[in-house]
Amino acid sequence: MNLELQQFKADFFKALSHPLRIRILELLAEGDKNVNELQTIIGAEGSAVSQQLSVLRSKNIVVGTKEGNRVIYSLRDPMIIDLLHIARQIFNNHLIDAITMLDKFNDDKESNMEE
């Protein structure tokens, strides 16, 4: 069971490992959208958006619902929104650490110049 869970997690994070897929998920977190809407907002070709949606769909991260001649995409699990938020917080923490190190480096450099 543990191995199956680890494999699921690995496959899940692999599916999230493309910047365009992350952008699509961020947009779907704001509300359901079709390919044309996503394409317009992102500024990418429809084929690129469709390809990334296909990957997300194959991993059950998004679902598509047919409405007339369009497919409307939505997040399969709203907890994806939380995951994206946590990822942003982790990024911010890394950024704060980098800025702190840079400030310390600059302070040390100025101290050495004054001596």
Side-chain angles (χ1 to χ4, degrees), residues 36-55:
N36 290 335
E37 291 171 316
L38 291 167
Q39 176 186 348
T40 300
I41 295 167
I42 294 169
E45 291 184 24
S47 60
V49 171
S50 293
Q51 181 182 15
Q52 300 310 326
L53 280 167
S54 177
V55 172

Side-chain angles (χ1 to χ4, degrees), residues 15-105:
L16 299 180
S17 68
H18 192 284
L20 185 51
R21 286 184 220 136
I22 296 294
R23 182 68 181 126
I24 289 169
L25 293 175
E26 290 171 341
L27 291 170
L28 292 178
E30 298 171 1
D32 301 351
K33 294 176 179 45
N34 65 43
V35 174
N36 290 335
E37 291 171 316
L38 291 167
Q39 176 186 348
T40 300
I41 295 167
I42 294 169
E45 291 184 24
S47 60
V49 171
S50 293
Q51 181 182 15
Q52 300 310 326
L53 280 167
S54 177
V55 172
L56 293 169
R57 224 178 27 249
S58 73
K59 297 299 179 187
N60 290 315
I61 296 171
V62 300
V63 293
T65 307
K66 190 116 168 113
E67 287 186 10
N69 62 350
R70 298 183 307 171
V71 178
I72 307 298
Y73 290 93
S74 59
L75 299 176
R76 184 175 183 273
D77 189 328
M79 289 194 69
I80 294 289
I81 297 168
D82 296 334
L83 181 65
L84 294 171
H85 180 71
I86 290 168
R88 180 179 293 265
Q89 288 177 315
I90 292 169
F91 171 79
N92 287 342
N93 291 343
H94 284 274
L95 189 57
I96 289 167
D97 289 346
I99 290 169
T100 301
M101 280 194 314
L102 186 57
D103 286 345
K104 183 178 179 344
F105 173 76

